[in-house]
Amino acid sequence: PTLGWESGKAFRAFPPFVLGSPVVAINLSDEVSNECEMVVVTSDGGFAVYKLLNSGPKLHYKGSIVPPMQQMLLSSISANQQSGNQPKLVRIQITDSKQLMLVIMLPTSSAGRALQGFVYNRDMESWMIVADSANFLLSDFYSPIHKPSSGKEGILSRVAKIVTSSASTMASAKQMYQRVVENEKHSYQYIITRSHCEDRLACAIALYSKSEFETWLTLYARCLSSSGEAESLRFLVDTLLDDSESGNSLMDTDNDSCQNVPSFLLIGIKRLGLDGKRIIRQSILPEMSKNRHLQRLTNEISTELDN
């Protein structure tokens, strides 16, 4: 039996709904309109997202939070951090961009705790990891305190802040890893930093966060420029310009040195509705101009944009 919600501005519109298992979490999107949505999580691990229409709630989509919990538990076993505890739900909510976000916490054997953030991919009907308190500790751009470079803090930064600031011993772990790989700093750490940027870019696309996509693209260009990766930068610019329309399809590129440049960035700028030329001018060229060895390529790209 239920006593209902106490409110001076609400009334019971329907008889009690039977969801099959006890409700453990309910969250409403911020918008109060026909686009308002509600996510409900039950004790069996199932979730359902409902559209709150004037005619009544309507099921939008549903799934389960059990797979990300199992994944987190298995990863702790492989990392020898098993504590005998089960993962716990920290937060589940619908973001401003209508993405379902999930944060899970797992106590570790070292009296600490690890957290992971997920976003639900409705096309695949599966979860994607967008934040992990134990990932990319060696990256040049890793920080347990996430501050927006400019303007309003985005959803990706907020998720990362929840995950990293709530986890324990992250700073000491980073210092320990830095001492271990000090002799390989210029090679190993560069790979981690570059991977960190590519991971954040993919997560920004998944969360439809335009501002953070541009922020991490700037950092990605800084990473490539500082290492003098001229060919990778050239291919990156071509990707953002989408030369396939002019007959120079990127799929036909046979350059082995550019195979690691993520071509999903083209999908990202199209999905987010961004202008590739503007991003190149504002995010990539300023970083390239800081390396005098890339001056010729910088001038070449600038000329192409002006034509």
Side-chain angles (χ1 to χ4, degrees):
T2 175
L3 298 177
W5 294 334
E6 295 183 0
S7 173
K9 298 182 180 180
F11 57 91
R12 182 183 293 275
F14 299 93
F17 289 100
V18 179
L19 300 178
S21 297
V23 175
V24 297
I26 295 180
N27 188 277
L28 293 169
S29 61
D30 293 335
E31 297 183 24
V32 182
S33 65
N34 291 334
E35 298 298 324
C36 185
E37 294 180 329
M38 176 178 68
V39 56
V40 179
V41 182
T42 53
S43 61
D44 60 355
F47 75 84
V49 176
Y50 300 91
K51 285 188 175 181
L52 302 183
L53 307 175
N54 292 332
S55 58
K58 181 179 180 181
L59 179 64
H60 192 23
Y61 58 94
K62 61 182 179 179
S64 174
I65 65 171
V66 174
M69 287 186 164
Q70 290 178 333
Q71 184 275 334
M72 193 171 192
L73 185 61
L74 290 173
S75 65
S76 69
I77 295 174
S78 63
N80 296 322
Q81 294 180 345
Q82 188 177 14
S83 61
N85 297 311
Q86 295 297 316
K88 297 181 180 180
L89 174 64
V90 175
R91 176 180 298 187
I92 186 168
Q93 70 178 71
I94 301 169
T95 68
D96 295 338
S97 57
K98 300 299 181 183
Q99 306 301 306
L100 183 61
M101 183 193 74
L102 170 71
V103 178
I104 297 176
M105 182 269 292
L106 176 67
T108 62
S109 57
S110 58
R113 54 185 179 178
L115 289 92
Q116 287 183 345
F118 302 82
V119 64
Y120 191 69
N121 187 319
R122 291 173 54 193
D123 294 332
M124 293 286 293
E125 296 186 357
S126 60
W127 292 93
M128 301 183 294
I129 300 177
V130 295
D132 191 334
S133 59
N135 273 359
F136 305 111
L137 296 177
L138 277 178
S139 170
D140 291 335
F141 304 128
Y142 173 87
S143 173
I145 303 175
H146 289 259
K147 296 181 180 179
S149 56
S150 61
K152 185 180 179 181
E153 185 179 42
I155 181 64
L156 182 59
S157 295
R158 294 200 295 271
V159 176
K161 181 193 293 184
I162 294 172
V163 168
T164 56
S165 61
S166 300
S168 58
T169 68
M170 286 296 101
S172 59
K174 181 176 182 180
Q175 293 171 0
M176 178 184 68
Y177 283 127
Q178 283 180 333
R179 288 196 297 267
V180 171
V181 298
E182 186 65 30
N183 294 332
E184 302 180 10
K185 183 176 182 180
H186 297 292
S187 57
Y188 186 68
Q189 187 165 352
Y190 164 74
I191 295 174
I192 293 181
T193 301
R194 179 168 172 169
S195 299
H196 185 200
C197 292
E198 293 174 359
D199 174 81
R200 297 293 86 190
L201 284 166
C203 293
I205 295 172
L207 289 167
Y208 285 80
S209 180
K210 294 183 181 181
S211 60
E212 289 171 309
F213 177 85
E214 294 189 37
T215 297
W216 281 102
L217 187 60
T218 300
L219 296 177
Y220 185 58
R222 182 180 303 172
C223 176
L224 295 177
S225 299
S226 62
S227 300
E229 298 284 350
E231 293 181 345
S232 295
L233 286 164
R234 172 76 263 185
F235 190 70
L236 174 62
V237 169
D238 290 342
T239 301
L240 297 177
L241 288 177
D242 187 12
D243 282 353
S244 58
E245 296 181 359
S246 61
N248 299 323
S249 175
L250 295 174
M251 300 300 294
D252 298 332
T253 303
D254 236 352
N255 195 335
D256 293 337
S257 62
C258 300
Q259 289 180 354
N260 293 327
V261 175
S263 57
F264 66 80
L265 295 180
L266 176 59
I267 300 174
I269 62 173
K270 289 184 176 180
R271 178 178 295 181
L272 299 176
L274 298 172
D275 182 8
K277 288 187 177 181
R278 181 187 64 80
I279 291 178
I280 293 171
R281 286 193 177 98
Q282 296 182 2
S283 300
I284 297 180
L285 288 181
E287 297 299 330
M288 292 177 61
S289 63
K290 297 176 183 178
N291 188 336
R292 61 185 181 87
H293 297 292
L294 299 173
Q295 186 170 357
R296 180 178 178 180
L297 179 59
T298 304
N299 295 336
E300 177 184 328
I301 295 174
S302 298
T303 303
E304 290 181 11
L305 293 176
D306 294 335
N307 293 336

